[in-house]
Amino acid sequence: MRIGVVIPAYNERALLPRLVERLDAVSPPLLADGSRAERRLIVVDDGSTDGTAEIVRGLGARADVIAIVHDRNRGKGAALATGFKAALEGGCDAVLVQDADLEYDPADHDAVLRPLLDPSPETRADAVIGSRFIGPSHRVLYYWHYRANRLLTTLSNVLTNLNLSDIECCFKAFSREVLERLEIREKRFGVEPETVARLAKMRLPRESGGVRALRIFEVAVTYAGRTYAEGKKIGWRDGISAVRCIVRYNIWG
């Protein structure tokens, strides 16, 4: 089995090499037969201006890395769409999203991927969404960010009929079957609520005929959020955009 780790990066010259070091220190997950999954890193530079693109091109010399550089900044959603396409073309059986800023710990990959690797087709997850609020630890930061996230998650849950606790968590993983059907339109951070809405609506074929809803799992992850001084990029306008995305993709698709 080949696991693709899609890493969108924008102006992360200092942290991207550290992320790759930490990824290299974490073994790919064990499979049911006792072997290790093959891991492929798909690193997408989204038009960085700080030298990140040169680091990404250098990583492309590795056999386990697919390096892609956007000619201009298009937004996180666009970077993910590029990475997902490359993962499918590269033969990945499952894909996990890992931001380049180290807010999310690569040590959690095994926990996030485990439901996707369940050997039983009847209980295997189709998609996994991380949660920063049900886990053992997270960095204490902005109260109003937390309240806004709770509001967005509640609004999303009302429209999707899912009971998620953190729709804005960037740690997400998908089976190949899901990724082949996942359309991404949002170019910026609206990709998170858009993705949840699309997963809620998506149907997969049953072996016995007909279709079924996705088996979506939520997994606790650790979180070391950054301050704006440390490089955090999301702002209040993205919160307003998230409301638009929740309504648009749940009601109109």
Side-chain angles (χ1 to χ4, degrees):
M1 170 172 280
R2 178 174 294 174
I3 304 292
V5 181
V6 174
I7 306 172
Y10 176 64
N11 288 348
E12 297 292 356
R13 180 181 62 184
L15 292 180
L16 180 58
R18 289 171 55 191
L19 169 65
V20 174
E21 287 178 6
R22 290 174 66 173
L23 273 167
D24 287 342
V26 175
S27 298
L30 277 171
L31 303 177
D33 62 3
S35 65
R36 293 275 179 188
E38 177 189 355
R39 183 167 59 203
R40 187 67 55 87
L41 307 184
I42 301 103
V43 190
V44 182
D45 176 75
D46 187 35
S48 296
T49 57
D50 69 341
T52 302
E54 286 67 34
I55 295 173
V56 172
R57 291 189 181 97
L59 289 169
R62 291 177 36 161
D64 63 338
V65 173
I66 298 173
I68 304 170
V69 176
H70 283 173
D71 57 353
R72 56 183 174 80
N73 179 239
R74 303 179 190 177
K76 182 180 180 180
L80 287 177
T82 296
F84 292 162
K85 181 175 183 291
L88 290 172
E89 292 174 349
C92 293
D93 302 294
V95 167
L96 179 146
V97 177
Q98 167 71 63
D99 284 359
D101 56 15
L102 281 178
E103 289 191 330
Y104 296 91
D105 191 348
D108 287 333
H109 283 199
D110 188 74
V112 174
L113 290 167
R114 187 56 45 199
L116 285 175
L117 303 179
D118 187 328
S120 172
E122 292 77 19
T123 57
R124 184 184 306 142
D126 302 301
V128 180
I129 299 174
S131 174
R132 298 164 288 181
F133 305 127
I134 61 174
S137 66
H138 65 271
R139 183 179 177 184
V140 177
L141 277 174
Y142 302 113
Y143 171 76
W144 288 111
H145 278 201
Y146 168 77
R147 296 311 308 173
N149 184 71
R150 301 308 301 146
L151 176 63
L152 294 173
T153 297
T154 298
L155 176 60
S156 175
N157 286 344
V158 167
L159 295 177
T160 62
N161 198 29
L162 299 176
N163 62 339
L164 296 170
S165 64
D166 186 12
I167 69 160
E168 293 289 348
C169 183
C170 301
F171 241 151
K172 293 181 173 70
F174 317 101
S175 69
R176 181 181 181 90
E177 198 173 14
V178 167
L179 201 64
E180 288 172 338
R181 294 165 171 79
L182 183 61
E183 178 187 6
I184 298 297
R185 294 182 187 174
E186 291 299 310
K187 303 303 183 186
R188 284 183 52 80
F189 297 107
V191 65
E192 307 298 350
E194 177 192 6
T195 298
V196 172
R198 294 194 183 283
L199 294 178
K201 288 185 172 185
M202 190 180 295
R203 297 295 182 266
L204 294 179
R206 295 181 185 272
E207 290 186 5
S208 57
V211 296
R212 62 171 177 84
L214 300 194
R215 290 186 288 267
I216 301 172
F217 281 56
E218 188 174 58
V219 173
V221 298
T222 54
Y223 179 66
R226 296 192 294 182
T227 65
Y228 287 102
E230 293 168 331
K232 193 173 190 68
K233 299 179 178 72
I234 196 167
W236 65 267
R237 290 181 179 85
D238 295 299
I240 294 173
S241 176
V243 173
R244 172 187 61 81
C245 292
I246 291 170
V247 173
R248 173 182 178 181
Y249 294 109
N250 279 289
I251 295 179
W252 292 289

